[in-house]
Amino acid sequence: MALTKPFPLYPTYSELCEFNFDDYPKLNQLFGSQPDWWLEHFNWGKQYLEYIGRNKSPHTYDRFRNEVERFLLWSFLEKQKPIDQLRKSDLLEYADFCWLPPISWIGTSNQERFKMLSGYFTANEHWAPFKIQVPKGQKEQTELNKKKYRPSQQTLKSMFTAIVVFYNYLMNEELCLGNPAQIAKKDCRHFIIDAQVKEVNRLNASQWEYVLDVAVNMADEDPIYERNLFVIAALKTLFLRISELSERPNWSPVMGHFWLDDDENWWLKVFGKGRKLRDVTVPLDFLPFLQRYRFSRDLSGLPSHNDNSVLVEKIRGQGGMSSRHLRRLVQTVFDQAYEKMRNAEGENKALRLKEATTHWLRHTGASMEIERGRELKDVSEDLGHASMATTDTIYVQTDNKLRAESGKKRKVN
């Protein structure tokens, strides 16, 4: 059976754990008509992704699934060579392929890999291994030219990282003898060494004021938006990632994670990146936002340590909200703040609100605290950074500031 069009290989993690070829008859038929190494490699990828799904976050599983699936499809359809026989030159060829993939490999939207038809999982014909999307802030543009697809430097880096880790796993399982991706990474011609001064993606004081004012006004007019206001205030003031407010398989944020110590200091217990627990300081200025959100849910003013109420509650249904739903709450406020600021001060000043993501609120809060003079060590611990140097690199850039200051003193004559 000659194949040219890519097809999905792996479902969600929960479906992968219960995977049976009887439920995927077309995939089963496909592997039955191809060389034996196709099925062998599929099983290698399956075992690896089961390991990733079991030990890492859902986001990490999705990211590694994308990369492993794409790599195996390339080895099946393009290179037509087992991955345990690939060399450095082959991996550099794969990097070239990822830099300029065929049009048939590129999609324009997020698509499920499989659809349920007549009780069986069937490949979604609209799914593609690569994706091109309109940048946030340019949503009015509807025309997408697949020929203009180019991966970012971060995308290339993630691709190599995933393949390197995949090969390391196969080596540990004694399925491969070497790691050609590790060697090829240093010689990839598409990598650009970036020594630029980094700009933090954040809102300035005026833009943040519009966001907060809009969120407060929405909540004042309709209590259903108290949830939006609480999420906006928490992300910015407590330096949270959106995932740290969300319901996850191994962690459910509840009101009792806010706690008061013996010195009357409020803290929030957070399950963060890398499966690390940390306690974030809660400023007194945040407590009124916590109180009004709780009042809107008929809860008492401030939580007790045994309060198991969901932290951010669904309006319909039970339990906490997913990261995707939380982003929608934030985006609703961003959209209205953008319109209000654009009408008052013009497109240029409001543009950042159109580009902003939920993570910008974490950056905004941390940057503002550092500018107010709070100790870098304290901000770093609230952010959950393993090293204060990470906080300095992202938010302060001490070396660059010193360089810029000394650069001002250069003379023309």
Side-chain angles (χ1 to χ4, degrees):
M1 184 187 296
L3 294 169
T4 55
K5 191 177 186 301
F7 47 90
L9 295 177
Y10 302 108
T12 63
Y13 173 63
S14 60
E15 291 166 349
L16 189 72
C17 291
E18 301 176 355
F19 186 90
N20 188 314
F21 270 118
D22 290 341
D23 298 324
Y24 300 78
K26 291 189 177 179
L27 201 58
N28 191 21
Q29 181 184 8
L30 173 70
F31 281 115
S33 65
Q34 300 300 330
D36 291 343
W37 65 268
W38 277 40
L39 180 57
E40 179 185 49
H41 282 17
F42 170 84
N43 286 323
W44 288 1
K46 178 176 177 292
Q47 293 165 21
Y48 171 68
L49 291 174
E50 286 173 339
Y51 161 78
I52 291 294
R54 186 170 56 252
N55 295 287
K56 306 292 182 181
S57 69
H59 171 74
T60 302
Y61 171 81
D62 289 343
R63 183 165 63 87
F64 278 83
R65 175 181 58 165
N66 293 346
E67 298 298 346
V68 168
E69 185 174 59
R70 196 153 47 197
F71 182 53
L72 290 179
L73 287 173
W74 172 79
S75 73
F76 293 164
L77 303 176
E78 297 291 324
K79 191 63 180 176
Q80 299 179 13
K81 184 177 179 181
I83 64 172
D84 54 337
Q85 296 179 18
L86 298 180
R87 299 294 180 262
K88 170 185 170 181
S89 59
D90 298 315
L91 268 294
L92 291 174
E93 185 181 325
Y94 177 61
D96 291 342
F97 178 84
C98 291
W99 182 256
L100 190 61
I103 297 297
S104 61
W105 285 60
I106 304 173
T108 57
S109 63
N110 288 320
Q111 294 284 341
E112 293 180 344
R113 284 165 166 74
F114 297 96
K115 292 187 174 183
M116 181 68 76
L117 293 174
S118 303
Y120 296 101
F121 287 104
T122 304
N124 180 2
E125 62 180 9
H126 299 295
W127 175 84
F130 296 89
K131 182 179 63 178
I132 183 172
Q133 286 184 300
V134 178
K136 195 174 189 296
Q138 300 178 23
K139 294 299 183 183
E140 291 83 359
Q141 176 188 342
T142 55
E143 293 295 324
L144 279 172
N145 187 349
K146 293 182 181 180
K147 292 182 179 179
K148 292 185 177 180
Y149 171 86
R150 290 294 182 277
S152 66
Q153 289 294 302
Q154 184 58 47
T155 298
L156 276 179
K157 181 180 178 182
S158 296
M159 178 271 287
F160 263 110
T161 298
I163 302 306
V164 167
V165 174
F166 182 38
Y167 266 113
N168 283 339
Y169 173 84
L170 297 177
M171 288 171 64
N172 289 336
E173 295 295 315
E174 299 182 350
L175 298 171
C176 284
L177 297 177
N179 192 335
Q182 185 76 65
I183 304 169
K185 186 176 180 180
K186 294 182 286 187
D187 288 337
C188 178
R189 61 177 176 169
H190 304 296
F191 276 125
I192 298 172
I193 298 174
D194 188 357
Q196 299 179 97
V197 176
K198 301 294 189 297
E199 181 183 6
V200 178
N201 283 325
R202 55 163 288 186
L203 305 177
N204 63 31
S206 177
Q207 291 158 347
W208 165 243
E209 187 175 347
Y210 273 95
V211 169
L212 185 59
D213 285 349
V214 163
V216 169
N217 290 337
M218 290 170 65
D220 287 344
E221 292 174 6
D222 188 341
I224 198 172
Y225 292 113
E226 288 289 351
R227 188 175 55 169
N228 301 61
L229 174 59
F230 174 74
V231 171
I232 288 279
L235 291 173
K236 187 267 184 185
T237 313
L238 308 182
F239 316 153
L240 301 181
R241 302 175 179 92
I242 196 74
S243 62
E244 293 169 348
L245 284 177
S246 69
E247 184 87 9
R248 286 165 284 171
N250 51 356
W251 184 259
S252 297
V254 297
M255 284 292 180
H257 290 150
F258 282 103
W259 61 280
L260 191 65
D261 68 18
D262 292 338
D263 296 317
E264 301 293 309
N265 300 309
W266 279 96
W267 301 82
L268 173 64
K269 193 168 295 295
V270 174
F271 184 63
K273 196 174 180 180
R275 296 187 295 173
K276 294 178 182 177
L277 277 175
R278 74 180 189 278
D279 289 299
V280 177
T281 57
V282 178
L284 296 177
D285 202 44
F286 176 76
L287 296 181
F289 294 93
L290 174 59
Q291 284 178 310
R292 65 180 289 169
Y293 177 53
R294 286 176 59 82
F295 286 146
S296 74
R297 292 173 52 184
D298 296 324
L299 300 172
S300 61
L302 289 172
S304 61
H305 72 280
N306 59 352
D307 188 340
N308 289 322
S309 306
V310 172
L311 189 58
V312 186
E313 189 180 43
K314 294 176 181 175
I315 295 295
R316 298 179 183 85
Q318 295 181 335
M321 302 187 74
S322 68
S323 293
R324 181 165 57 90
H325 290 128
L326 288 168
R327 286 191 183 92
R328 288 181 184 173
L329 298 184
V330 175
Q331 191 60 52
T332 299
V333 178
F334 279 166
D335 290 344
Q336 291 202 28
Y338 163 74
E339 292 295 338
K340 185 175 180 180
M341 190 172 190
R342 186 188 67 169
N343 293 335
E345 302 190 31
E347 174 73 21
N348 288 339
K349 289 188 177 180
L351 188 59
R352 296 284 280 177
L353 287 173
K354 200 173 185 181
E355 300 170 346
T357 68
T358 56
H359 206 63
W360 286 32
L361 294 174
R362 172 177 159 92
H363 288 327
T364 299
S367 299
M368 286 183 174
E369 283 303 295
I370 291 168
E371 289 166 0
R372 289 188 182 112
R374 190 176 177 213
E375 287 291 334
L376 187 63
K377 177 179 180 295
D378 295 337
V379 176
S380 182
E381 290 183 357
D382 277 343
L383 285 163
H385 288 163
S387 167
M388 197 164 67
T390 303
T391 313
D392 182 273
T393 300
I394 297 173
Y395 296 102
V396 184
Q397 301 183 36
T398 302
D399 292 342
N400 287 330
K401 288 186 176 182
L402 291 172
R403 180 157 63 95
E405 188 62 34
S406 67
K408 292 178 183 177
K409 302 172 184 176
R410 296 203 304 273
K411 303 295 183 183
V412 175
N413 55 10

